[in-house]
Amino acid sequence: MYSTLPNLGRTYKNNVVVSYYKLVSLKPTFYPILQTMTDYAELLKQLQLQVDSLQGENLELKRSQRKEIDSRDINDAASEMLRINQLRYRTIFENSLLGNKIIGSDLKILQVNQALVDMLGYQSKNEITGKIIIEFAHPDYAGDWQILQQRLWSKRLPSFNLETRLVKKNGESIWVNVISMLFRDGNDMLGFTTIEDISDRRSEFDVLRMREENFRTITNIIPQQVFTAAPNGKLVFVNKQVCDYLGKTDAEIIQKGWDESIHPEDVEKCRAAWSTSVQSGKDFTIEFRLKNEQDDYRWFLGRATALRNDEDSITLWLGTNTDIQAQKDNEHRKDEFLSIVSHELRTPLTSIKLYNQLSQKNGSPEKQAEFTSKSKSHIIRLERLITDLLDVSRINAGKMTYNIETFDFDKLIKETVDSLQLLNNNHELVVQECDPIEIKGDKHRIEQVLNNLILNAIKYSPDATQVIINSKVISDSIIVSIQDFGIGIKEKDLTRLFDRYYRVDNSSMRFDGLGMGLYISAEILKRHNGSLWIESEPGKGSTFNFLLPINGERNLTVVDTDNKTFYSANFIEVRYNEEKGWLETEWLGYQNLESVKKGCMAILEMVKAAKYTQILNDNTLVRGNWSEAADWGASFWFPALREAGLKQFAWIYSPSAFSRLAADRSVQTDLGDFQTHFFTDKESAEEWLGRQKMFDRV
């Protein structure tokens, strides 16, 4: 590559000698120039000294040249290796399937490869070079990336790995995996980044994550407890219902398992059944008792099935625990009911048989008449029991028939009371008030309701002497109340009284009857667009009330409204309180499913129209039983109010226990930041709303 340098000293000497001979051969005219030979000899001597000096310098130069050649050979080899490495690097950098970039300390892009250009949907590298990569980041993810870049360049991170999103030129976003690190190039510190498009992988991940989130969401809204377990049977996941019931976190439950919450009598059989299923792969099914947060045990039906892969290997156990306490209670009540039926039917039959035998043995007309009369009363009782059984069967089959006619309701009450008074000498049946009125309905079925309620009052007040009956016309309805002074009913039992076979007193042998009277009465009144409710206090007695529309239907009349600031009807008043800045509702009198829905929908439309954020809901004047609307309120109305922008709902309780129970049931849905509070007076409700309004302003 390099040529040898010439011998400068030898060349110079030869040139001088040649010049001398040339001068000698020249014409004499040039002699003066040289003067004499002596002068020339002296000149030649000096030249020789210079030549010798040059030869020494030439020798030293040769040695230096060899070192330089060796050094240059080494440097050239290193340069060649560097050139090859740079070529390899550029080949890898340019031809990599991953997006590559190099940035300076100002974070601007100095160099990119074509893969990154293509990944971002651009045409040339010039469109990207000079820009900052975070400019291409999705707005939701740019902040995290910026923080990591700052930590990297401040040497607090040696490198970082980040999954994030970039926005392509066409606006489409893609998921990428970013790896960044620093390196030194001479005196400059540069950043090197690889970017991998992971959209496909992320899509699969998102699908799996979405499936998991959907699974968790579904399991958290269904009423059953849901759990999963590993192939070896170890608990992996429990849903919200399990945590809420046990009063523990999912981590605690997964770590400790079920054993400490299962009833001691059921633990061993549960362990054995679960072990058998895990070993055999067969489905798991068992009934067991589980202790809740209040240390009460309830019956559950546990089920689990094995999920398998293509190789038929178990990958997961999926299970549910279904609360079957009500079913167990019903089974118990049915068993008790069968026992009661057997007893109740056998008693009059035994008495009838006895009186017939006595009548045959004693032939005197007086005794036969007495025995016949007593047999008749037992036949009537037997007939009533059989009628109740048939009515329940008809109700269940939807075959209960009604003959609607117009009749004098006040006369029906008096006739019913007089008839029952003849059969009951221990209680005085007092009709305090009985407004004269004609109503439309099935006279026989309504008489059946009166009979059931009055006889019920007599039965459950054995130590009292009176039952008081009132019948009042209020607006377009007739309200009947039957008051006793007996054992009373606990509030927790009130709503369950209308269940089939349910009896207030646990001692089924203390009071006779099948426990179906209230259930039948409630169904009859419902078919008449009426309702039945109870006010009671243990130890002091109960008042059974029922409402019947006079014309067989409730007339819900809207008086006036602007659909924004006021709504006036015969069952509700709604108005905007401009001074307070909230919507006020006042429910009037007796409510049912139809009236509650109509009033609530009017309120919802006003909230939507005027963007109200607070409601003062006054139920002080509400009477009766509107519990059928409670579930509708919880599942639809309150979520709709929240969606419309309502923030606070102050609810003033009705004095009616049934109305309060329905109110509590209406707001059981978790509505996040939407607040509902109950009050017993208007002043407290207004104070709370005012305080919330102040907080919202702050």
Side-chain angles (χ1 to χ4, degrees):
M1 186 174 181
Y2 296 102
S3 60
T4 304
L5 290 172
N7 190 329
L8 296 178
R10 180 179 299 173
T11 302
Y12 179 76
K13 180 179 179 181
N14 292 338
N15 289 340
V16 171
V17 172
V18 170
S19 298
Y20 167 73
Y21 283 109
K22 283 183 178 180
L23 287 172
V24 171
S25 64
L26 290 176
K27 295 178 178 182
T29 54
F30 290 97
Y31 293 169
I33 299 174
L34 299 174
Q35 295 181 1
T36 64
M37 291 296 294
T38 305
D39 293 336
Y40 175 75
E42 183 65 28
L43 177 62
L44 185 61
K45 183 180 179 180
Q46 292 178 6
L47 287 172
Q48 183 63 46
L49 291 172
Q50 292 179 15
V51 169
D52 292 341
S53 177
L54 286 172
Q55 283 179 333
E57 291 176 4
N58 187 43
L59 181 61
E60 190 66 31
L61 183 59
K62 283 183 178 181
R63 293 191 186 116
S64 176
Q65 286 170 352
R66 290 191 188 96
K67 291 181 180 178
E68 183 179 351
I69 291 169
D70 292 340
S71 176
R72 288 187 180 182
D73 287 343
I74 293 171
N75 290 337
D76 187 59
S79 297
E80 181 67 11
M81 183 63 69
L82 178 61
R83 186 185 66 81
I84 293 171
N85 287 339
Q86 286 178 337
L87 181 61
R88 289 173 179 171
Y89 163 76
R90 288 184 176 279
T91 301
I92 294 172
F93 184 90
E94 290 294 341
N95 297 322
S96 172
L97 297 177
L98 304 178
N100 296 326
K101 67 180 179 66
I102 295 175
I103 63 175
S105 58
D106 59 358
L107 303 185
K108 290 184 178 180
I109 298 173
L110 302 176
Q111 188 177 352
V112 296
N113 68 346
Q114 191 61 40
L116 184 57
V117 175
D118 296 340
M119 187 185 301
L120 295 176
Y122 288 89
Q123 300 300 317
S124 69
K125 298 177 182 179
N126 293 334
E127 294 181 87
I128 299 176
T129 305
K131 295 184 178 180
I132 298 175
I133 188 63
I134 297 178
E135 294 177 12
F136 301 94
H138 191 282
D140 294 343
Y141 297 85
D144 294 340
W145 198 348
Q146 183 72 45
I147 291 171
L148 289 173
Q149 285 279 26
Q150 291 171 356
R151 291 180 179 176
L152 179 68
W153 285 90
S154 63
K155 307 296 181 58
R156 284 184 288 170
L157 280 178
S159 64
F160 70 80
N161 190 342
L162 172 70
E163 282 193 5
T164 186
R165 289 170 68 188
L166 294 178
V167 179
K168 298 172 65 174
K169 185 177 182 179
N170 62 6
E172 178 187 350
S173 66
I174 57 173
W175 277 100
V176 296
N177 185 64
V178 177
I179 300 176
S180 285
M181 63 190 70
L182 299 181
F183 70 96
R184 186 171 293 280
D185 183 21
N187 295 325
D188 297 327
M189 185 66 72
L190 302 178
F192 176 75
T193 302
T194 65
I195 301 175
E196 179 187 6
D197 186 343
I198 59 170
S199 298
D200 292 341
R201 189 169 74 223
R202 184 76 189 202
S203 296
E204 295 175 2
F205 172 78
D206 287 343
V207 168
L208 292 174
R209 186 181 64 180
M210 186 177 297
R211 287 177 180 174
E212 181 181 355
E213 289 178 354
N214 289 342
F215 173 76
R216 289 180 179 272
T217 300
I218 291 171
T219 60
N220 285 335
I221 63 175
I222 63 176
Q224 282 89 354
Q225 297 178 2
V226 179
F227 64 91
T228 62
N232 63 1
K234 181 174 174 54
L235 204 58
V236 173
F237 162 81
V238 293
N239 69 341
K240 183 176 181 292
Q241 279 70 10
V242 177
C243 299
D244 291 345
Y245 182 83
L246 299 181
K248 301 176 182 178
T249 65
D250 55 350
E252 291 175 319
I253 298 168
I254 291 171
Q255 181 182 5
K256 296 180 180 179
W258 301 100
D259 285 3
E260 67 178 25
S261 300
I262 296 176
H263 195 287
E265 296 177 5
D266 301 333
V267 170
E268 289 304 322
K269 70 174 183 180
C270 287
R271 283 179 182 170
W274 183 241
S275 177
T276 299
S277 293
V278 169
Q279 292 175 12
S280 65
K282 295 181 179 178
D283 286 353
F284 169 79
T285 303
I286 196 169
E287 291 183 0
F288 66 102
R289 287 162 288 182
L290 198 60
K291 182 171 62 176
N292 61 20
E293 188 176 9
Q294 291 76 36
D295 290 334
D296 296 325
Y297 285 97
R298 294 182 66 84
W299 279 97
F300 283 84
L301 172 62
R303 294 179 182 273
T305 189
L307 305 182
R308 301 174 183 271
N309 58 20
D310 294 339
E311 288 74 33
D312 202 35
S313 298
I314 296 175
T315 58
L316 193 72
W317 286 90
L318 175 62
T320 60
N321 294 330
T322 304
D323 190 329
I324 58 170
Q325 186 63 48
Q327 179 182 328
K328 286 288 186 179
D329 291 342
N330 282 334
E331 289 176 359
H332 175 72
R333 285 198 293 270
K334 286 179 181 179
D335 292 340
E336 183 183 17
F337 172 73
L338 292 174
S339 175
I340 294 170
V341 168
S342 176
H343 170 76
E344 291 292 330
L345 293 177
R346 188 183 296 113
T347 299
L349 285 173
T350 301
S351 298
I352 292 169
K353 182 179 179 181
L354 175 62
Y355 288 131
N356 283 337
Q357 290 174 347
L358 291 173
S359 179
Q360 290 175 358
K361 291 180 180 179
N362 193 325
S364 66
E366 295 80 4
K367 285 294 182 181
Q368 286 186 350
E370 178 185 351
F371 296 147
T372 301
S373 175
K374 290 182 178 181
S375 293
K376 182 180 178 182
S377 66
H378 286 286
I379 291 171
I380 293 172
R381 178 183 172 188
L382 183 61
E383 182 182 27
R384 186 178 297 119
L385 293 171
I386 294 172
T387 298
D388 283 352
L389 288 171
L390 292 174
D391 282 344
V392 169
S393 298
R394 293 189 186 103
I395 291 171
N396 290 340
K399 296 181 179 179
M400 191 84 150
T401 58
Y402 296 88
N403 299 312
I404 306 301
E405 58 181 332
T406 300
F407 63 94
D408 293 325
F409 186 75
D410 53 309
K411 290 183 180 179
L412 175 63
I413 287 182
K414 291 174 182 177
E415 290 172 358
T416 302
V417 168
D418 289 343
S419 176
L420 292 176
Q421 186 67 81
L422 292 175
L423 299 174
N424 295 276
N425 298 322
N426 296 328
H427 289 76
E428 180 186 7
L429 306 181
V430 180
V431 180
Q432 285 186 339
E433 191 172 2
C434 187
D435 291 348
I437 189 70
E438 284 189 346
I439 71 168
K440 289 181 68 174
D442 187 317
K443 182 178 179 180
H444 169 70
R445 293 298 181 189
I446 294 174
E447 180 185 9
Q448 188 177 352
V449 172
L450 287 168
N451 270 295
N452 282 337
L453 297 182
I454 294 173
L455 289 174
N456 200 67
I458 293 171
K459 183 198 306 184
Y460 288 98
S461 58
D463 300 327
T465 59
Q466 269 191 343
V467 172
I468 298 174
I469 299 101
N470 284 289
S471 175
K472 299 178 183 179
V473 175
I474 299 178
S475 186
D476 58 354
S477 300
I478 186 78
I479 310 296
V480 178
S481 65
I482 297 163
Q483 181 181 8
D484 67 54
F485 303 91
I487 63 173
I489 306 166
K490 296 177 182 178
E491 186 170 302
K492 68 181 182 67
D493 294 320
L494 288 179
T495 57
R496 302 179 64 192
L497 288 175
F498 306 135
D499 294 344
R500 284 173 294 175
Y501 322 128
Y502 186 78
R503 296 161 64 85
V504 174
D505 190 79
N506 289 329
S507 176
S508 61
M509 295 299 104
R510 181 179 177 186
F511 302 108
D512 61 9
L514 300 179
M516 295 188 297
L518 291 180
Y519 169 73
I520 295 170
S521 298
E523 289 296 321
I524 292 172
L525 292 170
K526 190 184 299 182
R527 290 296 297 271
H528 282 79
N529 294 311
S531 59
L532 174 63
W533 69 97
I534 308 162
E535 304 295 337
S536 185
E537 187 174 349
K540 293 187 177 181
S542 306
T543 300
F544 286 76
N545 307 273
F546 69 86
L547 174 148
L548 282 171
I550 292 173
N551 295 321
E553 295 181 359
R554 287 201 66 187
N555 297 317
L556 304 176
T557 306
V558 178
V559 179
D560 195 13
T561 181
D562 66 355
N563 297 313
K564 189 172 183 180
T565 62
F566 73 94
Y567 180 91
S568 179
N570 65 345
F571 61 97
I572 190 174
E573 291 284 343
V574 186
R575 62 186 179 279
Y576 172 62
N577 188 323
E578 188 173 357
E579 178 185 353
K580 303 290 187 180
W582 58 58
L583 198 64
E584 295 185 352
T585 69
E586 186 175 32
W587 295 84
L588 308 174
Y590 299 91
Q591 305 294 330
N592 62 6
L593 176 61
E594 183 184 2
S595 66
V596 170
K597 278 190 172 183
K598 191 175 181 69
C600 284
M601 292 306 296
I603 295 168
L604 178 60
E605 293 306 315
M606 293 173 71
V607 170
K608 289 180 177 179
K611 306 299 181 185
Y612 296 119
T613 60
Q614 293 183 316
I615 288 180
L616 177 65
N617 187 67
D618 193 346
N619 273 28
T620 305
L621 300 179
V622 171
R623 299 291 183 272
N625 177 13
W626 55 274
S627 60
E628 285 182 300
D631 293 335
W632 173 83
S635 63
F636 172 78
W637 190 57
F638 275 108
L641 284 177
R642 179 182 182 275
E643 187 70 22
L646 198 72
K647 294 182 178 179
Q648 288 96 30
F649 191 93
W651 194 322
I652 304 172
Y653 269 134
S654 163
S656 166
F658 256 75
S659 180
R660 290 197 301 272
L661 290 170
D664 291 338
R665 235 170 71 200
S666 296
V667 296
Q668 289 181 350
T669 304
D670 182 8
L671 296 173
D673 56 350
F674 179 74
Q675 296 175 286
T676 302
H677 279 265
F678 291 102
F679 303 90
T680 56
D681 63 275
K682 189 172 183 179
E683 291 74 18
S684 299
E686 289 182 336
E687 180 184 351
W688 178 76
L689 283 178
R691 191 164 59 249
Q692 298 306 312
K693 188 178 291 292
M694 180 181 67
F695 290 156
D696 289 342
R697 286 172 182 167
V698 173

